[in-house]
PDB file of all heavy atoms in Angstrom:
ATOM      1  N   LEU A  29      67.047 -36.586  74.860  1.00 95.00           N
ATOM      2  CA  LEU A  29      66.939 -35.264  74.276  1.00 95.00           C
ATOM      3  C   LEU A  29      66.197 -35.512  72.984  1.00 95.00           C
ATOM      4  O   LEU A  29      65.180 -34.688  72.595  1.00 95.00           O
ATOM      5  CB  LEU A  29      68.101 -34.475  74.197  1.00 95.00           C
ATOM      6  CG  LEU A  29      68.764 -33.930  75.384  1.00 95.00           C
ATOM      7  CD1 LEU A  29      70.215 -33.480  75.067  1.00 95.00           C
ATOM      8  CD2 LEU A  29      68.026 -32.796  75.955  1.00 95.00           C
ATOM      9  N   PHE A  30      66.758 -36.384  72.162  1.00 96.00           N
ATOM     10  CA  PHE A  30      66.192 -36.664  70.854  1.00 96.00           C
ATOM     11  C   PHE A  30      64.735 -37.135  70.892  1.00 96.00           C
ATOM     12  O   PHE A  30      63.913 -36.633  70.248  1.00 96.00           O
ATOM     13  CB  PHE A  30      67.075 -37.848  70.221  1.00 96.00           C
ATOM     14  CG  PHE A  30      66.479 -38.406  68.966  1.00 96.00           C
ATOM     15  CD1 PHE A  30      66.766 -37.652  67.726  1.00 96.00           C
ATOM     16  CD2 PHE A  30      65.796 -39.624  68.913  1.00 96.00           C
ATOM     17  CE1 PHE A  30      66.196 -38.202  66.531  1.00 96.00           C
ATOM     18  CE2 PHE A  30      65.302 -40.092  67.698  1.00 96.00           C
ATOM     19  CZ  PHE A  30      65.452 -39.321  66.505  1.00 96.00           C
ATOM     20  N   SER A  31      64.427 -38.084  71.768  1.00 96.00           N
ATOM     21  CA  SER A  31      63.075 -38.770  71.937  1.00 96.00           C
ATOM     22  C   SER A  31      62.046 -37.520  72.387  1.00 96.00           C
ATOM     23  O   SER A  31      60.970 -37.578  71.921  1.00 96.00           O
ATOM     24  CB  SER A  31      63.060 -39.944  72.796  1.00 96.00           C
ATOM     25  OG  SER A  31      63.860 -40.970  72.300  1.00 96.00           O
ATOM     26  N   GLY A  32      62.547 -36.890  73.367  1.00 96.00           N
ATOM     27  CA  GLY A  32      61.664 -35.766  73.867  1.00 96.00           C
ATOM     28  C   GLY A  32      61.265 -34.790  72.843  1.00 96.00           C
ATOM     29  O   GLY A  32      60.128 -34.368  72.672  1.00 96.00           O
ATOM     30  N   ALA A  33      62.223 -34.243  72.159  1.00 96.00           N
ATOM     31  CA  ALA A  33      61.916 -33.394  71.088  1.00 96.00           C
ATOM     32  C   ALA A  33      61.122 -33.896  69.927  1.00 96.00           C
ATOM     33  O   ALA A  33      60.182 -33.143  69.382  1.00 96.00           O
ATOM     34  CB  ALA A  33      63.239 -32.766  70.485  1.00 96.00           C
ATOM     35  N   ARG A  34      61.416 -35.059  69.561  1.00 96.00           N
ATOM     36  CA  ARG A  34      60.601 -35.783  68.567  1.00 96.00           C
ATOM     37  C   ARG A  34      59.140 -35.900  68.886  1.00 96.00           C
ATOM     38  O   ARG A  34      58.176 -35.653  68.163  1.00 96.00           O
ATOM     39  CB  ARG A  34      61.159 -37.094  68.145  1.00 96.00           C
ATOM     40  CG  ARG A  34      60.410 -37.925  67.063  1.00 96.00           C
ATOM     41  CD  ARG A  34      60.972 -39.289  66.791  1.00 96.00           C
ATOM     42  NE  ARG A  34      60.149 -39.914  65.823  1.00 96.00           N
ATOM     43  CZ  ARG A  34      60.070 -41.282  65.565  1.00 96.00           C
ATOM     44  NH1 ARG A  34      60.878 -42.096  66.437  1.00 96.00           N
ATOM     45  NH2 ARG A  34      59.364 -41.703  64.922  1.00 96.00           N
ATOM     46  N   THR A  35      58.860 -36.269  70.129  1.00 96.00           N
ATOM     47  CA  THR A  35      57.498 -36.450  70.631  1.00 96.00           C
ATOM     48  C   THR A  35      56.760 -35.243  70.644  1.00 96.00           C
ATOM     49  O   THR A  35      55.577 -35.050  70.382  1.00 96.00           O
ATOM     50  CB  THR A  35      57.579 -37.124  72.019  1.00 96.00           C
ATOM     51  OG1 THR A  35      58.192 -38.416  72.045  1.00 96.00           O
ATOM     52  CG2 THR A  35      56.171 -37.367  72.511  1.00 96.00           C
ATOM     53  N   LYS A  36      57.470 -34.115  70.996  1.00 97.00           N
ATOM     54  CA  LYS A  36      56.745 -32.736  71.248  1.00 97.00           C
ATOM     55  C   LYS A  36      56.567 -31.980  69.960  1.00 97.00           C
ATOM     56  O   LYS A  36      55.783 -31.073  69.798  1.00 97.00           O
ATOM     57  CB  LYS A  36      57.667 -31.845  72.205  1.00 97.00           C
ATOM     58  CG  LYS A  36      57.696 -32.407  73.630  1.00 97.00           C
ATOM     59  CD  LYS A  36      58.510 -31.454  74.357  1.00 97.00           C
ATOM     60  CE  LYS A  36      58.729 -31.909  75.942  1.00 97.00           C
ATOM     61  NZ  LYS A  36      59.601 -31.079  76.645  1.00 97.00           N
ATOM     62  N   THR A  37      57.296 -32.442  68.825  1.00 97.00           N
ATOM     63  CA  THR A  37      57.128 -31.743  67.534  1.00 97.00           C
ATOM     64  C   THR A  37      55.880 -32.109  66.755  1.00 97.00           C
ATOM     65  O   THR A  37      55.927 -33.389  66.378  1.00 97.00           O
ATOM     66  CB  THR A  37      58.374 -31.886  66.717  1.00 97.00           C
ATOM     67  OG1 THR A  37      59.516 -31.399  67.565  1.00 97.00           O
ATOM     68  CG2 THR A  37      58.288 -31.079  65.559  1.00 97.00           C
ATOM     69  N   PRO A  38      55.080 -31.263  66.452  1.00 95.00           N
ATOM     70  CA  PRO A  38      53.843 -31.645  65.660  1.00 95.00           C
ATOM     71  C   PRO A  38      54.165 -31.769  64.161  1.00 95.00           C
ATOM     72  O   PRO A  38      54.842 -31.021  63.629  1.00 95.00           O
ATOM     73  CB  PRO A  38      52.808 -30.673  65.909  1.00 95.00           C
ATOM     74  CG  PRO A  38      53.593 -29.380  66.407  1.00 95.00           C
ATOM     75  CD  PRO A  38      54.931 -29.843  66.864  1.00 95.00           C
ATOM     76  N   SER A  39      53.629 -32.789  63.499  1.00 96.00           N
ATOM     77  CA  SER A  39      53.695 -32.815  62.136  1.00 96.00           C
ATOM     78  C   SER A  39      52.373 -32.593  61.357  1.00 96.00           C
ATOM     79  O   SER A  39      51.233 -32.716  62.100  1.00 96.00           O
ATOM     80  CB  SER A  39      54.272 -34.161  61.648  1.00 96.00           C
ATOM     81  OG  SER A  39      53.388 -35.206  62.070  1.00 96.00           O
ATOM     82  N   VAL A  40      52.263 -32.300  60.206  1.00 97.00           N
ATOM     83  CA  VAL A  40      51.036 -31.893  59.562  1.00 97.00           C
ATOM     84  C   VAL A  40      50.556 -32.858  58.378  1.00 97.00           C
ATOM     85  O   VAL A  40      49.483 -32.715  57.826  1.00 97.00           O
ATOM     86  CB  VAL A  40      51.023 -30.407  59.020  1.00 97.00           C
ATOM     87  CG1 VAL A  40      51.245 -29.522  60.236  1.00 97.00           C
ATOM     88  CG2 VAL A  40      52.100 -30.254  57.982  1.00 97.00           C
ATOM     89  N   TYR A  41      51.507 -33.774  58.068  1.00 97.00           N
ATOM     90  CA  TYR A  41      51.273 -34.549  56.817  1.00 97.00           C
ATOM     91  C   TYR A  41      50.026 -35.353  56.843  1.00 97.00           C
ATOM     92  O   TYR A  41      49.376 -35.626  55.739  1.00 97.00           O
ATOM     93  CB  TYR A  41      52.429 -35.474  56.593  1.00 97.00           C
ATOM     94  CG  TYR A  41      52.552 -36.703  57.474  1.00 97.00           C
ATOM     95  CD1 TYR A  41      51.918 -37.899  57.018  1.00 97.00           C
ATOM     96  CD2 TYR A  41      53.029 -36.650  58.763  1.00 97.00           C
ATOM     97  CE1 TYR A  41      52.088 -39.088  57.846  1.00 97.00           C
ATOM     98  CE2 TYR A  41      53.180 -37.822  59.512  1.00 97.00           C
ATOM     99  CZ  TYR A  41      52.489 -38.907  59.035  1.00 97.00           C
ATOM    100  OH  TYR A  41      52.597 -40.071  59.834  1.00 97.00           O
ATOM    101  N   GLN A  42      49.531 -35.711  57.981  1.00 97.00           N
ATOM    102  CA  GLN A  42      48.281 -36.616  58.134  1.00 97.00           C
ATOM    103  C   GLN A  42      46.981 -35.792  57.856  1.00 97.00           C
ATOM    104  O   GLN A  42      45.986 -36.416  57.627  1.00 97.00           O
ATOM    105  CB  GLN A  42      48.276 -37.284  59.464  1.00 97.00           C
ATOM    106  CG  GLN A  42      49.416 -38.353  59.615  1.00 97.00           C
ATOM    107  CD  GLN A  42      49.096 -39.216  60.836  1.00 97.00           C
ATOM    108  OE1 GLN A  42      48.061 -40.047  60.760  1.00 97.00           O
ATOM    109  NE2 GLN A  42      49.937 -39.226  61.847  1.00 97.00           N
ATOM    110  N   ARG A  43      47.107 -34.476  57.606  1.00 97.00           N
ATOM    111  CA  ARG A  43      46.006 -33.720  57.200  1.00 97.00           C
ATOM    112  C   ARG A  43      45.635 -34.010  55.789  1.00 97.00           C
ATOM    113  O   ARG A  43      44.632 -33.698  55.375  1.00 97.00           O
ATOM    114  CB  ARG A  43      46.325 -32.280  57.432  1.00 97.00           C
ATOM    115  CG  ARG A  43      46.440 -31.846  58.978  1.00 97.00           C
ATOM    116  CD  ARG A  43      46.683 -30.411  59.072  1.00 97.00           C
ATOM    117  NE  ARG A  43      47.231 -30.023  60.476  1.00 97.00           N
ATOM    118  CZ  ARG A  43      47.622 -28.900  60.820  1.00 97.00           C
ATOM    119  NH1 ARG A  43      47.584 -27.874  60.007  1.00 97.00           N
ATOM    120  NH2 ARG A  43      48.063 -28.603  62.108  1.00 97.00           N
ATOM    121  N   ILE A  44      46.660 -34.350  55.063  1.00 98.00           N
ATOM    122  CA  ILE A  44      46.434 -34.598  53.557  1.00 98.00           C
ATOM    123  C   ILE A  44      46.849 -35.929  53.042  1.00 98.00           C
ATOM    124  O   ILE A  44      46.790 -36.310  51.868  1.00 98.00           O
ATOM    125  CB  ILE A  44      47.081 -33.501  52.760  1.00 98.00           C
ATOM    126  CG1 ILE A  44      48.639 -33.366  52.844  1.00 98.00           C
ATOM    127  CG2 ILE A  44      46.457 -32.076  53.019  1.00 98.00           C
ATOM    128  CD1 ILE A  44      49.331 -32.398  52.000  1.00 98.00           C
ATOM    129  N   ALA A  45      47.486 -36.732  53.899  1.00 97.00           N
ATOM    130  CA  ALA A  45      48.074 -38.032  53.491  1.00 97.00           C
ATOM    131  C   ALA A  45      47.670 -39.159  54.539  1.00 97.00           C
ATOM    132  O   ALA A  45      47.481 -38.973  55.700  1.00 97.00           O
ATOM    133  CB  ALA A  45      49.623 -37.919  53.296  1.00 97.00           C
ATOM    134  N   THR A  46      47.591 -40.297  54.020  1.00 96.00           N
ATOM    135  CA  THR A  46      47.360 -41.571  54.714  1.00 96.00           C
ATOM    136  C   THR A  46      48.711 -42.153  55.180  1.00 96.00           C
ATOM    137  O   THR A  46      49.618 -42.212  54.377  1.00 96.00           O
ATOM    138  CB  THR A  46      46.586 -42.496  53.966  1.00 96.00           C
ATOM    139  OG1 THR A  46      45.396 -42.009  53.324  1.00 96.00           O
ATOM    140  CG2 THR A  46      46.246 -43.835  54.749  1.00 96.00           C
ATOM    141  N   ARG A  47      48.768 -42.455  56.397  1.00 95.00           N
ATOM    142  CA  ARG A  47      50.013 -43.134  56.985  1.00 95.00           C
ATOM    143  C   ARG A  47      49.759 -44.604  56.971  1.00 95.00           C
ATOM    144  O   ARG A  47      48.712 -45.234  57.429  1.00 95.00           O
ATOM    145  CB  ARG A  47      50.340 -42.563  58.315  1.00 95.00           C
ATOM    146  CG  ARG A  47      51.562 -43.255  58.911  1.00 95.00           C
ATOM    147  CD  ARG A  47      51.762 -42.940  60.380  1.00 95.00           C
ATOM    148  NE  ARG A  47      52.945 -43.580  60.994  1.00 95.00           N
ATOM    149  CZ  ARG A  47      52.862 -44.811  61.500  1.00 95.00           C
ATOM    150  NH1 ARG A  47      51.723 -45.416  61.463  1.00 95.00           N
ATOM    151  NH2 ARG A  47      53.992 -45.340  62.105  1.00 95.00           N
ATOM    152  N   THR A  48      50.773 -45.359  56.432  1.00 94.00           N
ATOM    153  CA  THR A  48      50.775 -46.769  56.422  1.00 94.00           C
ATOM    154  C   THR A  48      52.164 -47.285  56.819  1.00 94.00           C
ATOM    155  O   THR A  48      53.236 -46.665  56.529  1.00 94.00           O
ATOM    156  CB  THR A  48      50.233 -47.410  55.133  1.00 94.00           C
ATOM    157  OG1 THR A  48      50.029 -48.743  55.242  1.00 94.00           O
ATOM    158  CG2 THR A  48      51.142 -47.087  53.986  1.00 94.00           C
ATOM    159  N   THR A  49      52.303 -48.465  57.368  1.00 93.00           N
ATOM    160  CA  THR A  49      53.684 -49.030  57.574  1.00 93.00           C
ATOM    161  C   THR A  49      53.770 -50.134  56.539  1.00 93.00           C
ATOM    162  O   THR A  49      52.932 -50.824  56.110  1.00 93.00           O
ATOM    163  CB  THR A  49      53.725 -49.633  59.015  1.00 93.00           C
ATOM    164  OG1 THR A  49      52.573 -50.636  59.287  1.00 93.00           O
ATOM    165  CG2 THR A  49      53.600 -48.542  60.054  1.00 93.00           C
ATOM    166  N   ALA A  50      55.040 -50.547  56.351  1.00 91.00           N
ATOM    167  CA  ALA A  50      55.494 -51.588  55.322  1.00 91.00           C
ATOM    168  C   ALA A  50      56.318 -52.508  56.021  1.00 91.00           C
ATOM    169  O   ALA A  50      57.234 -52.221  56.842  1.00 91.00           O
ATOM    170  CB  ALA A  50      56.006 -50.917  54.082  1.00 91.00           C
ATOM    171  N   SER A  51      56.307 -53.805  55.585  1.00 90.00           N
ATOM    172  CA  SER A  51      57.150 -54.792  55.982  1.00 90.00           C
ATOM    173  C   SER A  51      58.193 -55.261  55.003  1.00 90.00           C
ATOM    174  O   SER A  51      59.066 -56.189  55.215  1.00 90.00           O
ATOM    175  CB  SER A  51      56.408 -55.977  56.642  1.00 90.00           C
ATOM    176  OG  SER A  51      55.613 -56.542  55.598  1.00 90.00           O
ATOM    177  N   THR A  52      58.126 -54.588  53.887  1.00 91.00           N
ATOM    178  CA  THR A  52      59.008 -55.042  52.703  1.00 91.00           C
ATOM    179  C   THR A  52      59.464 -53.764  52.059  1.00 91.00           C
ATOM    180  O   THR A  52      58.891 -52.596  52.250  1.00 91.00           O
ATOM    181  CB  THR A  52      58.226 -55.853  51.623  1.00 91.00           C
ATOM    182  OG1 THR A  52      57.000 -55.141  51.097  1.00 91.00           O
ATOM    183  CG2 THR A  52      57.699 -57.233  52.229  1.00 91.00           C
ATOM    184  N   LYS A  53      60.401 -53.865  51.299  1.00 91.00           N
ATOM    185  CA  LYS A  53      61.146 -52.642  50.487  1.00 91.00           C
ATOM    186  C   LYS A  53      60.070 -51.983  49.705  1.00 91.00           C
ATOM    187  O   LYS A  53      59.968 -50.722  49.618  1.00 91.00           O
ATOM    188  CB  LYS A  53      62.298 -53.084  49.817  1.00 91.00           C
ATOM    189  CG  LYS A  53      62.986 -51.951  49.075  1.00 91.00           C
ATOM    190  CD  LYS A  53      64.204 -52.402  48.444  1.00 91.00           C
ATOM    191  CE  LYS A  53      65.008 -51.267  47.722  1.00 91.00           C
ATOM    192  NZ  LYS A  53      66.132 -51.627  46.983  1.00 91.00           N
ATOM    193  N   THR A  54      59.355 -52.771  48.932  1.00 90.00           N
ATOM    194  CA  THR A  54      58.331 -52.229  47.892  1.00 90.00           C
ATOM    195  C   THR A  54      56.854 -52.624  48.336  1.00 90.00           C
ATOM    196  O   THR A  54      56.686 -53.767  48.651  1.00 90.00           O
ATOM    197  CB  THR A  54      58.576 -52.679  46.528  1.00 90.00           C
ATOM    198  OG1 THR A  54      59.901 -52.320  46.149  1.00 90.00           O
ATOM    199  CG2 THR A  54      57.477 -52.095  45.521  1.00 90.00           C
ATOM    200  N   MET A  55      56.071 -51.539  48.365  1.00 88.00           N
ATOM    201  CA  MET A  55      54.704 -51.822  48.963  1.00 88.00           C
ATOM    202  C   MET A  55      53.680 -51.570  47.624  1.00 88.00           C
ATOM    203  O   MET A  55      53.838 -50.556  46.928  1.00 88.00           O
ATOM    204  CB  MET A  55      54.257 -50.944  50.105  1.00 88.00           C
ATOM    205  CG  MET A  55      52.989 -51.337  50.717  1.00 88.00           C
ATOM    206  SD  MET A  55      52.767 -50.481  52.288  1.00 88.00           S
ATOM    207  CE  MET A  55      51.309 -51.098  52.852  1.00 88.00           C
ATOM    208  N   SER A  56      52.811 -52.476  47.508  1.00 83.00           N
ATOM    209  CA  SER A  56      51.819 -52.390  46.456  1.00 83.00           C
ATOM    210  C   SER A  56      50.557 -51.840  46.934  1.00 83.00           C
ATOM    211  O   SER A  56      50.027 -52.191  48.029  1.00 83.00           O
ATOM    212  CB  SER A  56      51.541 -53.750  45.768  1.00 83.00           C
ATOM    213  OG  SER A  56      50.688 -53.779  44.775  1.00 83.00           O
ATOM    214  N   PHE A  57      50.009 -50.948  46.150  1.00 80.00           N
ATOM    215  CA  PHE A  57      48.717 -50.229  46.513  1.00 80.00           C
ATOM    216  C   PHE A  57      47.684 -50.490  45.312  1.00 80.00           C
ATOM    217  O   PHE A  57      47.780 -49.665  44.375  1.00 80.00           O
ATOM    218  CB  PHE A  57      48.882 -48.682  46.703  1.00 80.00           C
ATOM    219  CG  PHE A  57      49.688 -48.428  47.870  1.00 80.00           C
ATOM    220  CD1 PHE A  57      50.857 -48.135  47.939  1.00 80.00           C
ATOM    221  CD2 PHE A  57      48.934 -48.291  49.207  1.00 80.00           C
ATOM    222  CE1 PHE A  57      51.628 -47.876  49.080  1.00 80.00           C
ATOM    223  CE2 PHE A  57      49.713 -47.896  50.350  1.00 80.00           C
ATOM    224  CZ  PHE A  57      51.002 -47.681  50.308  1.00 80.00           C
ATOM    225  N   PRO A  58      46.907 -51.560  45.329  1.00 73.00           N
ATOM    226  CA  PRO A  58      45.857 -51.692  44.212  1.00 73.00           C
ATOM    227  C   PRO A  58      45.006 -50.480  44.213  1.00 73.00           C
ATOM    228  O   PRO A  58      44.513 -50.025  45.196  1.00 73.00           O
ATOM    229  CB  PRO A  58      45.196 -52.942  44.748  1.00 73.00           C
ATOM    230  CG  PRO A  58      46.186 -53.574  45.695  1.00 73.00           C
ATOM    231  CD  PRO A  58      46.842 -52.544  46.422  1.00 73.00           C
ATOM    232  N   GLN A  59      44.798 -49.939  43.013  1.00 75.00           N
ATOM    233  CA  GLN A  59      43.919 -48.748  42.806  1.00 75.00           C
ATOM    234  C   GLN A  59      42.758 -49.031  41.966  1.00 75.00           C
ATOM    235  O   GLN A  59      42.932 -49.873  41.053  1.00 75.00           O
ATOM    236  CB  GLN A  59      44.755 -47.604  42.237  1.00 75.00           C
ATOM    237  CG  GLN A  59      45.861 -47.222  43.200  1.00 75.00           C
ATOM    238  CD  GLN A  59      45.514 -46.244  44.287  1.00 75.00           C
ATOM    239  OE1 GLN A  59      44.291 -45.918  44.433  1.00 75.00           O
ATOM    240  NE2 GLN A  59      46.415 -45.584  44.932  1.00 75.00           N
ATOM    241  N   HIS A  60      41.676 -48.313  42.127  1.00 69.00           N
ATOM    242  CA  HIS A  60      40.507 -48.426  41.264  1.00 69.00           C
ATOM    243  C   HIS A  60      40.175 -47.135  40.781  1.00 69.00           C
ATOM    244  O   HIS A  60      40.350 -46.058  41.332  1.00 69.00           O
ATOM    245  CB  HIS A  60      39.372 -49.104  42.090  1.00 69.00           C
ATOM    246  CG  HIS A  60      39.375 -50.553  42.199  1.00 69.00           C
ATOM    247  ND1 HIS A  60      38.892 -51.424  41.311  1.00 69.00           N
ATOM    248  CD2 HIS A  60      40.048 -51.374  43.073  1.00 69.00           C
ATOM    249  CE1 HIS A  60      39.007 -52.733  41.631  1.00 69.00           C
ATOM    250  NE2 HIS A  60      39.729 -52.609  42.656  1.00 69.00           N
ATOM    251  N   ALA A  61      39.571 -47.122  39.505  1.00 72.00           N
ATOM    252  CA  ALA A  61      38.929 -45.804  39.052  1.00 72.00           C
ATOM    253  C   ALA A  61      37.446 -46.104  38.877  1.00 72.00           C
ATOM    254  O   ALA A  61      36.779 -45.558  37.931  1.00 72.00           O
ATOM    255  CB  ALA A  61      39.613 -45.566  37.654  1.00 72.00           C
ATOM    256  N   ALA A  62      36.864 -46.782  39.834  1.00 68.00           N
ATOM    257  CA  ALA A  62      35.488 -47.101  39.646  1.00 68.00           C
ATOM    258  C   ALA A  62      34.994 -47.253  41.104  1.00 68.00           C
ATOM    259  O   ALA A  62      35.720 -47.612  42.067  1.00 68.00           O
ATOM    260  CB  ALA A  62      35.119 -48.350  39.012  1.00 68.00           C
ATOM    261  N   THR A  63      33.667 -46.973  41.385  1.00 65.00           N
ATOM    262  CA  THR A  63      33.028 -47.095  42.676  1.00 65.00           C
ATOM    263  C   THR A  63      32.629 -48.672  42.812  1.00 65.00           C
ATOM    264  O   THR A  63      31.936 -49.123  41.948  1.00 65.00           O
ATOM    265  CB  THR A  63      31.960 -46.233  42.881  1.00 65.00           C
ATOM    266  OG1 THR A  63      31.128 -46.321  41.668  1.00 65.00           O
ATOM    267  CG2 THR A  63      32.283 -44.692  43.008  1.00 65.00           C
ATOM    268  N   ARG A  64      32.980 -49.207  43.942  1.00 68.00           N
ATOM    269  CA  ARG A  64      32.603 -50.541  44.162  1.00 68.00           C
ATOM    270  C   ARG A  64      31.333 -50.607  45.148  1.00 68.00           C
ATOM    271  O   ARG A  64      31.582 -50.841  46.316  1.00 68.00           O
ATOM    272  CB  ARG A  64      33.812 -51.404  44.714  1.00 68.00           C
ATOM    273  CG  ARG A  64      34.880 -51.476  43.712  1.00 68.00           C
ATOM    274  CD  ARG A  64      36.111 -52.144  44.226  1.00 68.00           C
ATOM    275  NE  ARG A  64      36.719 -51.228  45.291  1.00 68.00           N
ATOM    276  CZ  ARG A  64      37.712 -51.682  46.176  1.00 68.00           C
ATOM    277  NH1 ARG A  64      38.156 -52.957  46.146  1.00 68.00           N
ATOM    278  NH2 ARG A  64      38.244 -50.806  46.900  1.00 68.00           N
ATOM    279  N   LYS A  65      30.139 -50.353  44.593  1.00 76.00           N
ATOM    280  CA  LYS A  65      29.024 -50.300  45.372  1.00 76.00           C
ATOM    281  C   LYS A  65      28.386 -51.629  45.742  1.00 76.00           C
ATOM    282  O   LYS A  65      28.686 -52.588  44.803  1.00 76.00           O
ATOM    283  CB  LYS A  65      27.893 -49.352  44.754  1.00 76.00           C
ATOM    284  CG  LYS A  65      28.298 -47.876  44.580  1.00 76.00           C
ATOM    285  CD  LYS A  65      27.327 -47.208  43.925  1.00 76.00           C
ATOM    286  CE  LYS A  65      27.522 -45.782  43.757  1.00 76.00           C
ATOM    287  NZ  LYS A  65      26.478 -44.953  43.086  1.00 76.00           N
ATOM    288  N   LEU A  66      27.833 -51.843  46.711  1.00 80.00           N
ATOM    289  CA  LEU A  66      26.998 -53.126  46.997  1.00 80.00           C
ATOM    290  C   LEU A  66      25.973 -53.144  45.852  1.00 80.00           C
ATOM    291  O   LEU A  66      25.254 -52.248  45.543  1.00 80.00           O
ATOM    292  CB  LEU A  66      26.471 -53.055  48.318  1.00 80.00           C
ATOM    293  CG  LEU A  66      27.335 -53.659  49.500  1.00 80.00           C
ATOM    294  CD1 LEU A  66      28.386 -52.650  49.823  1.00 80.00           C
ATOM    295  CD2 LEU A  66      26.382 -53.884  50.732  1.00 80.00           C
ATOM    296  N   ARG A  67      25.869 -54.457  45.413  1.00 78.00           N
ATOM    297  CA  ARG A  67      24.784 -54.703  44.367  1.00 78.00           C
ATOM    298  C   ARG A  67      23.866 -55.667  44.847  1.00 78.00           C
ATOM    299  O   ARG A  67      24.123 -56.395  45.892  1.00 78.00           O
ATOM    300  CB  ARG A  67      25.439 -55.134  43.067  1.00 78.00           C
ATOM    301  CG  ARG A  67      26.274 -56.533  43.363  1.00 78.00           C
ATOM    302  CD  ARG A  67      26.979 -56.954  42.135  1.00 78.00           C
ATOM    303  NE  ARG A  67      26.116 -57.430  41.115  1.00 78.00           N
ATOM    304  CZ  ARG A  67      25.727 -58.868  41.064  1.00 78.00           C
ATOM    305  NH1 ARG A  67      26.172 -59.689  41.939  1.00 78.00           N
ATOM    306  NH2 ARG A  67      24.979 -59.245  40.162  1.00 78.00           N
ATOM    307  N   ARG A  68      22.629 -55.498  44.261  1.00 84.00           N
ATOM    308  CA  ARG A  68      21.571 -56.509  44.592  1.00 84.00           C
ATOM    309  C   ARG A  68      22.040 -57.957  44.299  1.00 84.00           C
ATOM    310  O   ARG A  68      22.630 -58.195  43.244  1.00 84.00           O
ATOM    311  CB  ARG A  68      20.331 -56.232  43.860  1.00 84.00           C
ATOM    312  CG  ARG A  68      19.554 -55.092  44.347  1.00 84.00           C
ATOM    313  CD  ARG A  68      18.345 -54.714  43.592  1.00 84.00           C
ATOM    314  NE  ARG A  68      17.627 -53.602  44.128  1.00 84.00           N
ATOM    315  CZ  ARG A  68      17.940 -52.258  43.815  1.00 84.00           C
ATOM    316  NH1 ARG A  68      18.923 -52.087  42.798  1.00 84.00           N
ATOM    317  NH2 ARG A  68      17.357 -51.251  44.201  1.00 84.00           N
ATOM    318  N   TRP A  69      21.954 -58.766  45.189  1.00 89.00           N
ATOM    319  CA  TRP A  69      22.503 -60.262  44.985  1.00 89.00           C
ATOM    320  C   TRP A  69      21.425 -61.011  44.149  1.00 89.00           C
ATOM    321  O   TRP A  69      20.438 -61.519  44.773  1.00 89.00           O
ATOM    322  CB  TRP A  69      22.764 -60.965  46.344  1.00 89.00           C
ATOM    323  CG  TRP A  69      23.518 -62.111  46.229  1.00 89.00           C
ATOM    324  CD1 TRP A  69      23.656 -63.028  45.231  1.00 89.00           C
ATOM    325  CD2 TRP A  69      24.461 -62.732  47.261  1.00 89.00           C
ATOM    326  NE1 TRP A  69      24.508 -64.026  45.509  1.00 89.00           N
ATOM    327  CE2 TRP A  69      24.951 -63.919  46.739  1.00 89.00           C
ATOM    328  CE3 TRP A  69      24.710 -62.286  48.616  1.00 89.00           C
ATOM    329  CZ2 TRP A  69      25.791 -64.547  47.542  1.00 89.00           C
ATOM    330  CZ3 TRP A  69      25.523 -63.038  49.294  1.00 89.00           C
ATOM    331  CH2 TRP A  69      26.188 -64.262  48.791  1.00 89.00           C
ATOM    332  N   GLU A  70      21.767 -61.118  42.931  1.00 86.00           N
ATOM    333  CA  GLU A  70      20.818 -61.826  42.092  1.00 86.00           C
ATOM    334  C   GLU A  70      21.815 -62.946  41.330  1.00 86.00           C
ATOM    335  O   GLU A  70      22.590 -62.542  40.634  1.00 86.00           O
ATOM    336  CB  GLU A  70      20.261 -60.917  41.062  1.00 86.00           C
ATOM    337  CG  GLU A  70      19.238 -59.823  41.675  1.00 86.00           C
ATOM    338  CD  GLU A  70      18.769 -58.870  40.627  1.00 86.00           C
ATOM    339  OE1 GLU A  70      19.477 -58.778  39.497  1.00 86.00           O
ATOM    340  OE2 GLU A  70      17.897 -58.078  40.945  1.00 86.00           O
ATOM    341  N   GLY A  71      21.455 -64.139  41.642  1.00 88.00           N
ATOM    342  CA  GLY A  71      22.225 -65.232  41.147  1.00 88.00           C
ATOM    343  C   GLY A  71      23.488 -65.469  41.799  1.00 88.00           C
ATOM    344  O   GLY A  71      23.481 -65.130  43.088  1.00 88.00           O
TER     345      GLY A  71
END
């Protein structure tokens, strides 16, 4: 009963959030405030 109801119930969070799994208690998300564009390879 539990599994059937859980499977049939739609959630909406993935419309505005990214889902990820963790293998540790605390998960680190490195963030940037810059665009990392490909640059011409010179040197």
Side-chain angles (χ1 to χ4, degrees):
L29 287 171
F30 171 80
S31 299
R34 182 186 172 197
T35 301
K36 293 178 182 177
T37 303
S39 60
V40 299
Y41 76 95
Q42 292 194 66
R43 299 178 190 175
I44 60 174
T46 305
R47 178 185 177 277
T48 186
T49 57
S51 58
T52 57
K53 180 178 181 179
T54 299
M55 189 169 184
S56 179
F57 291 91
Q59 298 276 11
H60 278 269
T63 51
R64 292 176 291 170
K65 297 181 180 179
L66 271 69
R67 59 184 288 272
R68 289 181 179 84
W69 194 335
E70 299 172 345

